[in-house]
C-alpha cells in the first residue's frame, strides 16, 4: 500500500524523514519495499511579493492583492485571510498547471479579473495544509517554485501483512506509529455535516451473515466536477488518478480511514430502496471496469428493486455509477463478512481496493464515521446547493471480539523476557479496554479494529513489537541431551549420494513436472501421471512418472553444449495416480553416456561407458543386500513405470522378495534416436528407494581370512558366445571347498577364434585357513573344475 | 718380545692401513671400479683376505692380540663398500627413471562426481542442526488441504492463502505442498512432545519462473516443542545456527506475519559480503533476509491436540536456493535445475 508522508502528517506530528520512517516501520513489522520522492505536481508557479492588499469592491471575504513576480505587477483575487503586504508567496500565473492537471486561466471573480492565483501548501500538493497562503522563505522573485521547493512528498510502498487490515490506511498506520514513537494521534478533522436534509434512503439486508451492517446516505444537489488541488494531489501521490469530486472523496476516505465506500447515482437506481442479498441465477452486472460479470447464488450483491447494482464489497455497477451528469448521490458504507467477499472476488477474478480490505476485515466502528466524513466532504466540494440526508441504516456492527486473559507472567513466559508490569500494561492499554483482574493480570477487550487479537500469544507479539524484538534476550534454556536421529530415507539417500558421486556421477536436480510430449518422446504413457489443475506452463502439466525423462533431457542438453560425457544421478519423487490418491515413491535414477574419463591422454583408461558400468554401480550400491535377484527384463514378472525406456534385451530387472526393486540397462534405441543420443550407448539405472527402506540391510561383520599364502591359476577357456557367463562361473565353482575367489579377468571375442566362440579367462584362487595348499592339491582342484567346465560347454584354449 | 712372524704381520697390516687411507674404496667412480676395489681387498686373493689367512701362522697369544685388529679392519671395509655400492646403485636407478618419466604430463583425471550444490548446502545445514539435537523428519510432496493449510491456521477463504500461490492436482482434492510446514503437523500427529525436528525438502508454488523465482524450490524447516519454550530460545538457537553456517552470529529479528506462528519474525543476518557496511547484495541495508520464524501458533498446537497452555514451541524456515545463491554467487535460480555439467562440476565439497 502506498503511503504519503504528507498525508501521514495529517494524523501525526512526524518529524522523521522517509528513510528513518521506513526503518521504524520495518522494525514494527511493516516492510517498506520502495521509497519514492515525488516532485511538485505543478508548473508555472513562481515566487511573488505582495505589494499591496485591498478590499474586493464586491465581496467582503475576498481581497485584491497587487503582487510583483519580478517582471510585472499583477492583480490577483484572493480569499485567504492571512495575506499582508510584504509577504513572499507562491503565485500561479495564468497558464500554470496545478496538481490534478488543472490549467489556470484568467477569470473574473465577482467582476474583478484575477491575473493568477496565490496558493496554499495544499493547493500545491505540498502538504495537507490549506489554512492559508503558503509563506515562502527568501526566494528570488519570479523563480520557478517547482524547482526550489524540493520534493513535494515522499511516498512509501508499505507491505501490510494479511493479519493487519486495520493498517491499510493512513490513519491505521499513523495509529501504529503513534504507539511506537509515543506521539499523539491527531483527531480527524471536524466533519459535522450540514443539518440532515432530503429523504433518508431505505436499506434492507437479506443476508445478515454476509452483511452485518449497511448504511446509505442521500446527497442531493451535487455538482460533479474536478476535485480541488489538495485532494487531487493526495490521490496522485499514492498513485490514483483523480476522477471527479465524488469518486475522489470515496477513494480519499478509503485511503484515509480504511473504510471502502461506494457512490451510486441516485437517479439511476430503481427505487425504492437498496437491498443486500445474494445474486440470483442468471443475473449479471456490468461493473465499473466496463466488463460484464455473470453472477451466481454465492455472490453477494447490492440490488435496487429491479436488479443488482453492485457486487457487494468488490465493485459497483457501470450503469449506476457517478458521472458528470449526476446530481444526487447515494453513498454506501458497509461491513461485509470477509469470506463472502473473498469468495466473490475469487470466483469473478475481480479484485479492487475495496475487496482487498473487506476480505481482510474492516473496522465495524468506522462504517458510520467514514460515511459521515465522506458525505460532509462531498457536500462541501459538491457546491453550494448540496445537502446530506440522515443515514439509512440496516443491521448493526457485529458483536465485539471475546475479551482475552492477559497476564504479565504469561507474556514474559512466552517471550523469555522480563518486561516490567507497567510497560506491559501500557502496551495492552493501547490495544483495548483493560479490566484489572489481579496483580499483573487483566482482561483485555480489544478495540474494534483489532480483530486479529485472540490469545496471549497475540498479546506477546504486540508487547514484543512495541518494545522492539531486539529487547528480548537471546538465551536458550538448557535442553536435556537427545541425540538427533536420521530417518531411514535420509541415511539411504546419503549412502547413495556418497557412493555415486565417488563413482564419478554428478548429482542432478530436475523439476517434478513434465508434459505429455516429453513422456511420448520417452515412450511412456501419461495415463497414470497425475495432472495439475493449474500448471505454471504447458511444459509442466504433469507430475513425473519417472525420474529418467529428466535425465534424458539433461543428457541431450549437455551434448548440445559440447559435453563428451554425461554421468548423472538424481534422487527424487515419482508420482502415479491410484484412483483418488496419488502415489509418491522416491527413486534413484542414473544415466551414463560417453567415456569413463574425459580429456584423458591414455585412451585405454577412458573406454565408453555401457551396460556393465551401470550394472556395476547397482552392484556396488546394493552390495550386501540379501535375497537380491537379477532377471532379464524380458523374463521379469510385473512392470515398472520406466520399463518402456529400456532395451528389452539389454536390461536386467532387480528383484527383492517384496517385489521389483528397479531396472538397469541400455536406453531403447528408438528413444535414443528421438533424443538425439544415438551416437553412443546410454546406460540407465532406476531404483525404487522405498523398496530398500523396508528391506533390512545386514550390518557388516568380520569374516576371518587365512594367514597362509594362496595359490592361483588362470584358465583360458573357449566357449560358445551364447553360453552365459553365469553358467560358466557356476561350473568353475562347483563344490570346490578350497576355492577362495573366482574372478573373470578377460573376455576376448576378436580374431583367431572359431566362429561363434569367445574366449574367457578365469582366475581361480585357492587357499586353506589352517595351512598352505600343495601344488598337487591345487592341480587336482583345477582338473575337476575343467571337467565340470567341459560338461558345461567350455574347454581350455590351446 | 715380538717374534719375527708377528712383526712382519704387523708391518703388512700397517701397510694395508696406510694404503686404505690413501685410496678410500668409497671413492670408486662406478660400480665396476668399486668391484675391483672389493676384489683387490676382500677377494680370494685380496690383500686383507691374505692378512687374515696369515693370522693362523701366529702364536695363540698373538692371534688373540692381533685378530680383533684385522677383523675390525674387515668390518669397516665391508661397511664402506656396501655404503658406496648403495649410493652408486641409487644414483643409477634415479638417472634411469628420470629419463623415462615426463613429470610434466597432466595427472590422469579421476572420475569423481559431485553432490548437487543444493544437497551440499542442505547437508551442511542439517549437520549443524543435528548437532543441536534436531532429528530428521519428512513428509510427502502431494498434500491435502488440512496439512498444508487449515491445521497450520490458514483457513479456507482467508487472505493468508494469498501468501502462497498453490498448485492443485486435477483429479483429486490434493495440492503440492507450498512449504515444508506440513511436516510439522505430520510430526506432531505422529509423536507427542517434546519434539525437536528439522525437515529439509522440496516445495512448490504456482509462480512464473525467472532468474529469482522458481516453481520448485527447497526449504528447511525446524520445529521445537517442549514445556516453556520461549522467543528467547528461538533467538539463541537461530544465532547459534547462523554462526555455524555463515560465521556470523549477528542476527536481527523483525516482526512479521506467518499464520502458523505468533509472535512471528523475519530473521536477517549481517550481510556476509560487506559486514553490514552496505553493498549491492544486501541492497545497502547491511542485512540479508534469510529466515522466517516464530513461536508456534496456539491454533496449530490445538489442531494436533497439544494443549498450548502446557506446551509451547518455536518453528523456523529457511529457503535453500536463496542461501545457495548468496554463498555460491549464482545469479539465476534456474541454473540449479538445468543440470549442465559445467555448472554441477564447479561446486566441490566443503563449500559450506
Amino acid at each position: 500500500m502506498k503511503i504519503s508522508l504528507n498525508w501521514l502528517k495529517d494524523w501525526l506530528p512526524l518529524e522523521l524523514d522517509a528513510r528513518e520512517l521506513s526503518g521504524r516501520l520495518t522494525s514494527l513489522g511493516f516492510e517498506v519495499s520502495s521509497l519514492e520522492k515525488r516532485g511538485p505536481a505543478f508548473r508555472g508557479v513562481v515566487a511573488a511579493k505582495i505589494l499591496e492588499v485591498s478590499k474586493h469592491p464586491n465581496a467582503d471575504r475576498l481581497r485584491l492583492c497587487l503582487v510583483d513576480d519580478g517582471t510585472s505587477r499583477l492583480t490577483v483575487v484572493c480569499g485567504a485571510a492571512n495575506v499582508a503586504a510584504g509577504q513572499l508567496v507562491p503565485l500561479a500565473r495564468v497558464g500554470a498547471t496545478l496538481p490534478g492537471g488543472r490549467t489556470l486561466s484568467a477569470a473574473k471573480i465577482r467582476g474583478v479579473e484575477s491575473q493568477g492565483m496565490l496558493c496554499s501548501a495544499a493547493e500545491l500538493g505540498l502538504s495537507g495544509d490549506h489554512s492559508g497562503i503558503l509563506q515562502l522563505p527568501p526566494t528570488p522573485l519570479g523563480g520557478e517554485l517547482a524547482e526550489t521547493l524540493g520534493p513535494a512528498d515522499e511516498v512509501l510502498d508499505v507491505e501490510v501483512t494479511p493479519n493487519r487490515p486495520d493498517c491499510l490506511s493512513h490513519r491505521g498506520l499513523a495509529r501504529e506509529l503513534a504507539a511506537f514513537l509515543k506521539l499523539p494521534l491527531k483527531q480527524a478533522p471536524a466533519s459535522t455535516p450540514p443539518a440532515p436534509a432530503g429523504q433518508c434512503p431505505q436499506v434492507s439486508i437479506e443476508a445478515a451473515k454476509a452483511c452485518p451492517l449497511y448504511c446509505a446516505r442521500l446527497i442531493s444537489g451535487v455538482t460533479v466536477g474536478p476535485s480541488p488541488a489538495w485532494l487531487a494531489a493526495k490521490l496522485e501521490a499514492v498513485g490514483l488518478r483523480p476522477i471527479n469530486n465524488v469518486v475522489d472523496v470515496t477513494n480519499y476516505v478509503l485511503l484515509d480511514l480504511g473504510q471502502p465506500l461506494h457512490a451510486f447515482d441516485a437517479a439511476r437506481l430503481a427505487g425504492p430502496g437498496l437491498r443486500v442479498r445474494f445474486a440470483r441465477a442468471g443475473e449479471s452486472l456490468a461493473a465499473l471496469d466496463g466488463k460484464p460479470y455473470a453472477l451466481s447464488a454465492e455472490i453477494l450483491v447490492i440490488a435496487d428493486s429491479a436488479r443488482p447494482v453492485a457486487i457487494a464489497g468488490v465493485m459497483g455497477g457501470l450503469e449506476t455509477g457517478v458521472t458528470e451528469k449526476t446530481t444526487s448521490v447515494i453513498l454506501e458504507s458497509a461491513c461485509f463478512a470477509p469470506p463472502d467477499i473473498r469468495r466473490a472476488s475469487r470466483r469473478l477474478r475481480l479484485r479492487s481496493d475495496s475487496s482487498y480490505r473487506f476480505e481482510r476485515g474492516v473496522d465495524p466502528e468506522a462504517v458510520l464515521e467514514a460515511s459521515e466524513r465522506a458525505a460532509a466532504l462531498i457536500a462541501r466540494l459538491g457546491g453550494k446547493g448540496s445537502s446530506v440526508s440522515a443515514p439509512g441504516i440496516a443491521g448493526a456492527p457485529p458483536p465485539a471480539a471475546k475479551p482475552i486473559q492477559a497476564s504479565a507472567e504469561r507474556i514474559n513466559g512466552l517471550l523469555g523476557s522480563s518486561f516490567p508490569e507497567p510497560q506491559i500494561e501500557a502496551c495492552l492499554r493501547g490495544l483495548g479496554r483493560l479490566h484489572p483482574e489481579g496483580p499483573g493480570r487483566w482482561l483485555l477487550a480489544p478495540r474494534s479494529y483489532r480483530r486479529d487479537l485472540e490469545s496471549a500469544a497475540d498479546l506477546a507479539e504486540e508487547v514484543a513489537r512495541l518494545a522492539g524484538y531486539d529487547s528480548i534476550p537471546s538465551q536458550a534454556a538448557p535442553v536435556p541431551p537427545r541425540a538427533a536421529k536420521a530417518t531411514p530415507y535420509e541415511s539411504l539417500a546419503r549412502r547413495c549420494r556418497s557412493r555415486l558421486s565417488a563413482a564419478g556421477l554428478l548429482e542432478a536436480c530436475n523439476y517434478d513436472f513434465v508434459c505429455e510430449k516429453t513422456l511420448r518422446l520417452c515412450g511412456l504413457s501419461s495415463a497414470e501421471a497425475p495432472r495439475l489443475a493449474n500448471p505454471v506452463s504447458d511444459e509442466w502439466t504433469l507430475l513425473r512418472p519417472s525420474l529418467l525423462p529428466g535425465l534424458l533431457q539433461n543428457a541431450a542438453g549437455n551434448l548440445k553444449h559440447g559435453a563428451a560425457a554425461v554421468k548423472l544421478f538424481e534422487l527424487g519423487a515419482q508420482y502415479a495416480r491410484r484412483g483418488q490418491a496419488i502415489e509418491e515413491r522416491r527413486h534413484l535414477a542414473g544415466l551414463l553416456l560417453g567415456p569413463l574419463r574425459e580429456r584423458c591422454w591414455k585412451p585405454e583408461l577412458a573406454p565408453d561407458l555401457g551396460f556393465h558400468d551401470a550394472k556395476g554401480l547397482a552392484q556396488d550400491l546394493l552390495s550386501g543386500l540379501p535375497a537380491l535377484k537379477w532377471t532379464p527384463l524380458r523374463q521379469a514378472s510385473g512392470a515398472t513405470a520406466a520399463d518402456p525406456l529400456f532395451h528389452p534385451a539389454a536390461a536386467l530387472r532387480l528383484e527383492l522378495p517384496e517385489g521389483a526393486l528397479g531396472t538397469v540397462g541400455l536406453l531403447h534405441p528408438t528413444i535414443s534416436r528421438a533424443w538425439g543420443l544415438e551416437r553412443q550407448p546410454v546406460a540407465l539405472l532406476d531404483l525404487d528407494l522405498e523398496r530398500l527402506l523396508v528391506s533390512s540391510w545386514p550390518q557388516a561383520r568380520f569374516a576371518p581370512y587365512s594367514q597362509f599364502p594362496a595359490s592361483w591359476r588362470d584358465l583360458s577357456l573357449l566357449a560358445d558366445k551364447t553360453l552365459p557367463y553365469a553358467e560358466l562361473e557356476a561350473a568353475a565353482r562347483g563344490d570346490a571347498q578350497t576355492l577362495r575367489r573366482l574372478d573373470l579377468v578377460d573376455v576376448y571375442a576378436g580374431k583367431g577364434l572359431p566362429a561363434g566362440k569367445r574366449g574367457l579367462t578365469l582366475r581361480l584362487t585357492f587357499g586353506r585357513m589352517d595351512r598352505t595348499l600343495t601344488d598337487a592339491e591345487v592341480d587336482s582342484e583345477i582338473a575337476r573344475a575343467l571337467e565340470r567346465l567341459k560338461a558345461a560347454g567350455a574347454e581350455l584354449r590351446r | 718380545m715380538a717374534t719375527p712372524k708377528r712383526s712382519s704381520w704387523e708391518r703388512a697390516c700397517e701397510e694395508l692401513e696406510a694404503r686404505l687411507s690413501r685410496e678410500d674404496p668409497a671413492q670408486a667412480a662406478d660400480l665396476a671400479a668399486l668391484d675391483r676395489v672389493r676384489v683387490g681387498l676382500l677377494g680370494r686373493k685380496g690383500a686383507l683376505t691374505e692378512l687374515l689367512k696369515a693370522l693362523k701362522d701366529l702364536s695363540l697369544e698373538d692371534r688373540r692380540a692381533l685378530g680383533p685388529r684385522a677383523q675390525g679392519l674387515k668390518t669397516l671395509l665391508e661397511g664402506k663398500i656396501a655404503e658406496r655400492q648403495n649410493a652408486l646403485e641409487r644414483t643409477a636407478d634415479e638417472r634411469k627413471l628420470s629419463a623415462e618419466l615426463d613429470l610434466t604430463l597432466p595427472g590422469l583425471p579421476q572420475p569423481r562426481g559431485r553432490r548437487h550444490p543444493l544437497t551440499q548446502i542442505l547437508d551442511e545445514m542439517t549437520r549443524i542442526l543435528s548437532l543441536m539435537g534436531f532429528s530428521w523428519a519428512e513428509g510427502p510432496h502431494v498434500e491435502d488441504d488440512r496439512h498444508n493449510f487449515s491445521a497450520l491456521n490458514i483457513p479456507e477463504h482467508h487472505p493468508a492463502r494469498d501468501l502462497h500461490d498453490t498448485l492443485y492436482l486435477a483429479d483429486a482434492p490434493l495440492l503440492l505442498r507450498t512449504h515444508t510446514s506440513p511436516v510439522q503437523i505430520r510430526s506432531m500427529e505422529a509423536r507427542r512432545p517434546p519434539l525437536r525436528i528439522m525437515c529439509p525438502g522440496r516445495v512448490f508454488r504456482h509462480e512464473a519462473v525467472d532468474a529469482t523465482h522458481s516453481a520448485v524450490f527447497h526449504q528447511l524447516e525446524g520445529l521445537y516443542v517442549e514445556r516453556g519454550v520461549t522467543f528467547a530460545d528461538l533467538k539463541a538457537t537461530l544465532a547459534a545456527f547462523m554462526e555455524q553456517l555463515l560465521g556470523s552470529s549477528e542476527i536481527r529479528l523483525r516482526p512479521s506475519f506467518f499464520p502458523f506462528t505468533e509472535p512471528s519474525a523475519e530473521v536477517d543476518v549481517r550481510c556476509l559480503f560487506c559486514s553490514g557496511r552496505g553493498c549491492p547484495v544486501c541492497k545497502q541495508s547491511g542485512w540479508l533476509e534469510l529466515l522466517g520464524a516464530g513461536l508456534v501458533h496456539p491454533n496449530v498446537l490445538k489442531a494436533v491436540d497439544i494443549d498450548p497452555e502446557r506446551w509451547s514451541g518455536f518453528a523456523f524456515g529457511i529457503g535453500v536456493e536463496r542461501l545457495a545463491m548468496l554463498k555460491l554467487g549464482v545469479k539465476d535460480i534456474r541454473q540449479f535445475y538445468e543440470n549442465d555439467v559445467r555448472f554441477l562440476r564447479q561446486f566441490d565439497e566443503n563449500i559450506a
Side-chain angles (χ1 to χ4, degrees), chain A residues 57-69:
Chain A
N58 307 325
D60 287 345
R61 288 168 63 185
L62 297 179
R63 290 133 195 262
L64 302 181
C65 301
L66 182 65
V67 299
D68 177 3
D69 70 356

Side-chain angles (χ1 to χ4, degrees), chain A residues 26-31 161-163 338-339 342-343 346-347 351 356 359-360 410 412-417 454-455 457-461 464-465 469-480 482-490 494 497-498 500-513 529-536 540 543-544 554 558 561 563 565-571 573 575 577 579-582 584 586 596-602 605 693, chain B residues 105-119 123 126 129-131 133-142 156-163 166-174 176 194-196 198 200 202 204-209 214-216 218 224 226 228-237 239 251-257 261-266 284 289 295-299 308-309 311-312 333-334 336-342 344-345 349:
Chain A
T26 303
S27 37
L28 255 181
F30 300 96
E31 262 188 78
T161 53
N163 59 328
R342 185 172 162 83
R343 200 182 304 121
R346 298 249 128 182
R347 196 66 40 101
R351 304 184 70 183
Y356 192 78
E359 67 180 49
R360 284 159 174 72
R410 177 91 172 113
N412 276 327
L414 281 169
L415 297 176
S417 56
E454 287 174 349
S455 67
D458 297 315
L459 303 183
E461 177 171 87
R465 228 160 44 88
Y469 277 13
D470 290 344
S471 59
I472 297 170
S474 175
Q475 203 166 52
V479 177
R482 219 173 275 128
K485 277 203 324 209
T487 56
Y489 176 76
E490 177 60 31
R494 210 179 299 165
R497 287 190 172 111
S498 65
L500 292 175
S501 63
L505 280 72
L506 298 168
E507 186 183 5
C509 183
N510 279 293
Y511 298 111
D512 297 64
F513 311 123
R531 190 168 296 279
L532 292 174
N534 55 336
V536 177
W540 286 356
L543 291 180
R544 57 183 176 187
N554 301 152
N558 274 302
H561 287 119
V566 183
K567 293 176 276 176
L568 295 173
F569 74 96
E570 181 174 7
L571 282 88
Y575 309 83
R577 221 170 55 211
Q580 272 286 76
I582 305 294
E584 187 179 328
R586 287 164 295 189
L596 171 67
R597 298 163 200 254
E598 277 179 276
R599 287 177 282 277
C600 177
W601 49 274
K602 276 192 176 167
L605 291 182
L693 292 181
Chain B
L105 280 176
L108 285 171
Q110 298 305 302
R112 181 169 63 83
R114 308 273 191 272
R115 288 175 300 146
H116 194 276
L118 293 175
T119 302
D123 281 357
T126 51
L129 288 172
S130 71
L131 293 175
F134 288 83
S135 287
W136 277 262
E138 58 200 28
H141 296 162
V142 177
E156 213 192 336
H157 299 305
H158 193 280
R161 291 215 174 183
D162 292 351
L163 299 173
T166 311
L167 282 161
Y168 292 95
L169 274 291
D171 309 304
L174 296 169
L176 288 170
L195 212 65
R196 202 172 172 90
M198 57 179 165
R202 286 186 172 207
F204 306 85
R205 298 277 172 91
H206 187 279
E207 183 130 44
V209 176
S214 182
V216 178
H218 292 75
Y224 175 39
E226 172 64 284
V229 175
T230 70
F231 203 76
D233 287 313
L234 170 64
K235 279 182 92 168
T237 304
I251 61 170
R252 172 179 85 166
L253 278 72
R254 286 181 284 114
S256 187
F257 169 72
T261 50
E262 188 78 29
S264 301
E266 295 274 7
Q284 307 304 330
E289 185 181 322
L295 293 186
V296 181
H297 197 290
N299 289 352
E309 297 298 320
W311 299 94
S312 62
I333 195 170
R334 288 168 291 199
F336 288 115
Y337 295 87
E338 275 164 5
N339 302 312
D340 191 312
V341 295
R342 293 168 298 177
L344 297 174
R345 279 240 158 266
E349 318 289 321

